[in-house]
Each structure stands twice: as structure tokens, then as C-alpha cells.
Amino acid sequence: MERIFVKRAWYMVAWSDEIAAGDKHRVMVMNAPIVLYRDTAGRLVALEDRCCHRAAPLSIGRIEGDDLRCMYHGLKFDRTGRCIEIPGQDRIPPHACVRSYAVTEGGGWVWIWMDDPASADPDLIPPVRAVDDPAWIFRRGHLDYDANYMLINDNLLDFSHLSYVHENTFGDSPLFALTRPRISKLDRGVRISRWLRDMPMPRTSLKGGSGKTDRWMTYDFLVPGALLMTSGTYPAGTAERCGDQAPDGVDPIEASCTCQLILPITDTTARYFFTNGPSSRTGSAEQAEHAMQLTLRAFDEDKEMIEAQSRTLSLDPYVKMVPVSADAALSMFRWKMNDLMKAEAEQAEPGTEGAVA
């Protein structure tokens, strides 16, 4: 699988409550080991998890005020990654430092910027819903994959798989595969919307009933791998009355929201974070639990398929794959990722185009 990493992007690496005062939280992002901790003011610090002396992990070091001490030979680093103390040595070489990363949090999510901290743009943080947003009854979780993260992105950009991979969970109709969505370009991603007509109530619902409904779902898929989706169930005939456009001004029978973020850990491993839940206006805590249990079953189905796909690709990573019409959003997103990587390479090395897979 080719390496597709965009550095000038925010990657979701943890939930805020996973990083308590006095604790160290180790993560891997794009093959880079990183340690997170909080300073005395509660602000997050993100440093390279590798001492510049003998490469010992700082994540097994000791927090001292705002600083972090390596517990191998005692070098101490401040929140910028600069070494400020070497036991038994007065002079500290200027190159005695570890890399620091721009890190921020909001709404329960923790984000890291993988390029120069000075270039970090807060406007590029994906507009996820806060974990405790009162408009939704969210549940959250994560899954670890033995697969390249772009395979997970591909899966989320083509919902035709719901009819087959999720036949016994989400995909209760072949319409997911038979109905092509509307796709539009965004500055850093794509927007995908579709109506599904004459459908039964979703299996995530507790309302039941044998009547037909129309379902609307729309999501933005943003660099480097963020799905932000709302969906609603409406009385049959709503899609036609709306001219197959967004159901603005029409109240749904039920509505739900999900935010899903994919973190590339290494070239061949990834972590999949997600929140999911019904509208607090049309749903309940009981429905949120029911929907999450079904969602977890479906995500396990995805994981089984994608890891099997990854193992097959590892036998011949350059095997040619035949594109089909359902790949439209997938292809558009990969082109955007490649454009961003090319721009990063050109700015890093003026006069060169960089190598883009």
C-alpha cells in the first residue's frame, strides 16, 4: 500500500479525558512516537517520544512541573522540546532537543498538527460535534486496525458496501449499492448526499413499524480522514416533495449524527475513533445504547473485511484495481490528498515536484 500522509493537517489522537494531570499518554502518528502530558496550567504538551541522548522513550519518564525528565540518564526537556538540564554537565549543546508538536483540544477531542508548529492552522480542525453536545446523545469508541488508514478512508467514501458487508446489520436493502449519491467537491474533501426511498425504519431505531420511509444522509469527508454525517428518517414521499434535495424545513421522524476520525499510526496500522448517537429531540439514551451496539457489530464487519483486503494487498501492493462508478468520491478524495502532498513537497524543496504515489 502506498504511503499517503499529509503533514499539514490535524489528526485526532485521543479523547481529552484520557490525558489526566500527572499522566503521560503515548501515541504513534505516521510512524512518529509522541508523548502527551499536561503542564501545571492544564495545557497539553506534545513531544517526540524519544530522548535525543540514547533514544529512550520519554513516555516512561517523569513529569516535573511543566517539564519532562528522561528516566534513563536524567536529561530534562521543557514544553518546547529544548533540553534544559543534563546531570553532571553544565553546558547544554544547542542541538540537544526533541521535536515538539502543535496540540490542541476542544469538545472532548485532542488534535495534533504534524508539520512545523508555526504553520498550524486552527481553521483546519475538522468541525466535529462536541462529545457532550446537548443536541445529540452520543456514545463513543475506537477500533485498532492492522491496515493502512487509506483503506478505511476508501471504505467510508463508498457506502455501496453497506448492502453486502453490512447485510445483517445496517444494510437492510440493496438500495445502498443501487443508488448513486450526489457528490460535490469541498476545499479539503468531498460532500456526499443521498436519498433512499421506500425503506423500512432503520435497524438502529426502537420505534419499529412496518410502514415505508425515506432516508436522507449527508456527510462531509475531510482531509486527512474525517467523516461528519447527519442522517434522518422521513415519511415516505419526502424525497419526491423535496425534489431529491436536502430536506430543509422538514422535521424527521428520527435523526442521528456520527463523527468518525481515522488516525494513521504506521504504514500498516490505524486507529478509528467515532462518536454516534440519535438526536436528543427524537431519540433517547436507550436508543443511543441500542444504536451503538449495532454500530459496533457493523464496524467489526468493516474491520474484518478491510484487514482481509490489507493482507491480500500485502502479497502484491502494486496490483491493478479496476475502478467502478461507485469509486467516484474515493477517487476525488485521493486526488485531493495527492495534490496536498505534492504542494507540501514543492514548498519543502523549492524547484522540485516531490514524489507522490
Side-chain angles (χ1 to χ4, degrees):
M1 188 73 186
E2 71 271 33
R3 175 175 289 187
I4 300 180
F5 291 151
V6 172
K7 291 184 178 180
R8 291 173 190 164
W10 293 96
Y11 289 84
M12 192 268 181
V13 291
W15 309 106
S16 287
D17 59 12
E18 289 184 298
I19 311 170
D23 289 345
K24 301 174 295 295
H25 187 79
R26 188 178 193 272
V27 298
M28 288 277 292
V29 185
M30 293 161 36
N31 301 302
I34 299 170
V35 58
L36 300 166
Y37 69 96
R38 294 186 184 276
D39 65 14
T40 53
R43 298 171 299 181
L44 285 171
V45 179
L47 299 178
E48 177 183 2
D49 190 19
R50 182 166 42 216
C51 180
C52 61
H53 174 223
R54 303 299 296 169
L58 295 178
S59 55
I60 58 175
R62 183 171 67 205
I63 300 171
E64 298 182 0
D66 293 341
D67 310 319
L68 187 57
R69 185 183 297 277
C70 176
M71 293 303 287
Y72 192 9
H73 298 101
L75 277 70
K76 185 162 75 170
F77 301 88
D78 68 13
R79 57 175 294 118
T80 70
R82 182 174 63 93
C83 182
I84 57 174
E85 182 180 322
I86 301 177
Q89 179 175 326
D90 293 333
R91 180 182 177 276
I92 299 176
H95 56 278
C97 60
V98 297
R99 182 176 177 183
S100 65
Y101 296 84
V103 58
T104 189
E105 62 185 324
W109 310 78
V110 176
W111 308 91
I112 279 183
W113 180 266
M114 293 303 292
D115 200 38
D116 181 354
S119 70
D121 184 350
D123 290 338
L124 296 183
I125 297 173
V128 295
R129 302 275 187 173
V131 173
D132 59 355
D133 187 330
W136 307 96
I137 308 171
F138 281 134
R139 300 294 183 265
R140 73 184 194 192
H142 78 265
L143 286 173
D144 286 338
Y145 274 75
D146 288 324
N148 182 283
Y149 88 115
M150 283 300 293
L151 294 179
I152 308 173
N153 283 356
D154 292 347
N155 179 69
L156 296 173
L157 285 157
D158 174 15
F159 275 7
S160 68
H161 78 273
L162 268 67
S163 294
Y164 306 102
V165 176
H166 304 310
E167 184 178 24
N168 298 314
T169 49
F170 290 157
D172 47 7
S173 169
L175 284 178
F176 284 102
L178 297 174
T179 304
R180 288 289 170 262
R182 296 174 182 267
I183 304 169
S184 55
K185 292 182 180 179
L186 302 174
D187 183 47
R188 287 174 66 90
V190 295
R191 177 166 294 162
I192 304 171
S193 307
R194 63 173 12 117
W195 276 104
L196 298 170
R197 302 189 184 203
D198 297 323
M199 298 280 286
M201 285 293 290
R203 295 179 184 180
T204 53
S205 174
L206 292 176
K207 294 185 177 180
S210 57
K212 295 296 185 180
T213 66
D214 289 353
R215 293 190 209 168
W216 167 258
M217 57 178 60
T218 183
Y219 64 95
D220 291 351
F221 201 89
L222 307 175
V223 172
L227 180 148
L228 315 173
M229 181 169 77
T230 56
S231 57
T233 303
Y234 296 83
T238 303
E240 183 175 358
R241 288 194 297 273
C242 292
D244 285 320
Q245 301 298 313
D248 292 335
V250 183
D251 291 331
I253 301 169
E254 288 186 339
S256 64
C257 178
T258 182
C259 301
Q260 302 172 20
L261 286 300
I262 299 88
L263 172 69
I265 296 175
T266 66
D267 292 346
T268 57
T269 60
R271 177 161 289 180
Y272 180 30
F273 295 95
F274 49 87
T275 59
N276 183 72
S279 163
S280 56
R281 188 166 60 86
T282 64
S284 64
E286 182 184 10
Q287 184 187 353
E289 292 295 339
H290 168 72
M292 179 53 83
Q293 292 308 308
L294 188 67
T295 297
L296 291 173
R297 284 173 50 199
F299 287 175
D300 282 340
E301 293 169 339
D302 282 322
K303 185 175 185 291
E304 180 181 5
M305 178 62 74
I306 292 169
E307 289 185 339
Q309 177 192 18
S310 178
R311 290 192 295 271
T312 301
L313 285 171
S314 69
L315 302 175
D316 182 0
Y318 302 105
V319 66
K320 296 295 184 181
M321 290 185 260
V322 177
V324 298
S325 60
D327 294 331
L330 183 160
S331 297
M332 289 170 62
F333 186 76
R334 281 180 170 256
W335 292 335
K336 172 57 66 175
M337 293 282 281
N338 275 277
D339 286 347
L340 291 171
M341 285 194 303
K342 182 177 180 180
E344 288 181 4
E346 289 175 343
Q347 292 178 26
E349 301 180 46
T352 68
E353 294 187 357
V356 179

